[in-house]
Amino acid sequence: MATLEETVYRPPLENESALLGISLGCSYGRCTFCRYSDGNTPLQLLSSEMLCENLEELVAQGEQATRMFLLGGNVLAFKSRYLADIFRLVRRYLPGVTQFSMYARADDVAQKTDEQLEELRRGGLDTLYIGVESGNARILENCRKGETPEEIVAALHRLDRVGLSYGLSSILGLGGREMWRQNALDTAALYNEVNPISIRVMTLTPMAGTPLAVEAASGSFQPLTPRQALEEERLLLEAISKTHAPCLFVGTHVSNSVPVKGMLPRDRDRMIEALSNAIAGADDKDLAQDGAIGW
């Protein structure tokens, strides 16, 4: 399959979905931890020829999935009319596809009217995956996320009203050693206000060439040790107290030194115990992860 990305990024819940590359880059491109932080990779589309070639390849492979994940940055930033055209194009090739999912920013939701979101839902949009990163206003400001916790929550409540599901993700260690407790507690507080079908956590690994990596090298930002990251993850789990429906917690990203996964609230204690055992039984050298992590 032809894509504009070197690496395919898809949420764990979409492991059975058909994949179709749509875009490269991000419409925002200023988050200090992100590979797009230089702003030189604007959100851009694959050509219609590439889209059709990819769909023909899926047909030739005998693709039978009824759900499709649209690969790329914050795909929801594209005009609703374009997304509806994509849905129709997919069904010309794969009429069995009934549901679509994609990445989005909270401000992509804010830029669309309820009517547009409802029209997309009727056209097959089912789930959006949104990186909240943190529930702490100062941390979001420091990493130049361009959104406040209040704006994120308001966008998610709008999705609830129009009947769209969403999975959320956040970054352990984004507050550094100075604000690790605030990051855990305020992110849990945000999760407690909304209704995600999944929560995915990743551990911050400053990427070479990003502003955050420069801050870490200068000492103005102090990343967590692997043990401290586990302590933050444990505190986050302990503080997620309000789940309106079963919610899958996924802490299996390659950046996480100890993988945990389970349903909230059912498996909360088991995951906390696994983290506590790792904290008690290993040192930072044992827990360290090698290599750069892409976001």
Side-chain angles (χ1 to χ4, degrees), residues 109-158:
V109 177
Q111 293 298 318
K112 287 184 165 44
T113 66
D114 285 355
E115 291 75 18
Q116 289 171 325
L117 292 170
E118 289 169 352
E119 182 179 355
L120 288 171
R121 177 180 55 77
R122 289 192 294 270
L125 180 60
D126 179 72
T127 305
L128 297 174
Y129 292 93
I130 298 174
V132 304
E133 321 311 357
S134 175
N136 180 274
R138 179 181 163 195
I139 292 173
L140 291 180
E141 182 178 2
N142 288 347
C143 75
R144 300 206 298 265
K145 175 67 176 173
E147 300 167 338
T148 67
E150 293 78 13
E151 290 167 342
I152 293 171
V153 168
L156 299 176
H157 285 170
R158 285 189 62 218

Side-chain angles (χ1 to χ4, degrees), residues 5-37:
E5 295 273 16
E6 294 182 0
T7 305
V8 171
Y9 298 96
R10 69 170 167 186
L13 282 179
E14 301 296 333
N15 63 326
E16 299 295 329
S17 299
L19 302 178
L20 181 66
I22 294 292
S23 67
L24 169 71
C26 175
S27 65
Y28 179 70
R30 292 189 288 279
C31 296
T32 63
F33 54 82
C34 182
R35 66 191 186 281
Y36 297 136
S37 57

Side-chain angles (χ1 to χ4, degrees), residues 100-215:
F100 297 89
S101 55
M102 63 187 69
Y103 288 122
R105 281 173 52 88
D107 60 8
D108 298 332
V109 177
Q111 293 298 318
K112 287 184 165 44
T113 66
D114 285 355
E115 291 75 18
Q116 289 171 325
L117 292 170
E118 289 169 352
E119 182 179 355
L120 288 171
R121 177 180 55 77
R122 289 192 294 270
L125 180 60
D126 179 72
T127 305
L128 297 174
Y129 292 93
I130 298 174
V132 304
E133 321 311 357
S134 175
N136 180 274
R138 179 181 163 195
I139 292 173
L140 291 180
E141 182 178 2
N142 288 347
C143 75
R144 300 206 298 265
K145 175 67 176 173
E147 300 167 338
T148 67
E150 293 78 13
E151 290 167 342
I152 293 171
V153 168
L156 299 176
H157 285 170
R158 285 189 62 218
L159 295 179
D160 291 332
R161 289 198 299 272
V162 301
L164 285 171
S165 299
Y166 49 89
L168 304 178
S169 61
S170 56
I171 302 176
L172 301 168
L174 192 58
R177 297 183 191 181
E178 177 187 0
M179 297 188 67
W180 74 271
R181 289 187 62 85
Q182 294 97 316
N183 193 38
L185 295 173
D186 290 345
T187 303
L190 187 153
Y191 287 147
N192 289 338
E193 288 190 57
V194 295
N195 306 287
I197 60 170
S198 66
I199 293 171
R200 189 184 188 197
V201 297
M202 296 158 279
T203 302
L204 179 69
T205 304
M207 293 178 59
T210 62
L212 191 62
V214 174
E215 294 174 22

Side-chain angles (χ1 to χ4, degrees), residues 62-126:
E63 180 62 65
Q64 297 296 314
T66 60
R67 183 178 179 90
M68 174 171 282
F69 183 74
L70 301 182
L71 291 166
N74 53 321
V75 175
L76 190 69
F78 292 119
K79 291 182 178 180
S80 298
R81 181 176 57 197
Y82 171 76
L83 292 172
D85 287 345
I86 291 292
F87 296 168
R88 285 190 286 269
L89 176 65
V90 167
R91 289 186 176 123
R92 280 174 46 195
Y93 289 86
L94 297 168
V97 173
T98 60
Q99 295 180 328
F100 297 89
S101 55
M102 63 187 69
Y103 288 122
R105 281 173 52 88
D107 60 8
D108 298 332
V109 177
Q111 293 298 318
K112 287 184 165 44
T113 66
D114 285 355
E115 291 75 18
Q116 289 171 325
L117 292 170
E118 289 169 352
E119 182 179 355
L120 288 171
R121 177 180 55 77
R122 289 192 294 270
L125 180 60
D126 179 72

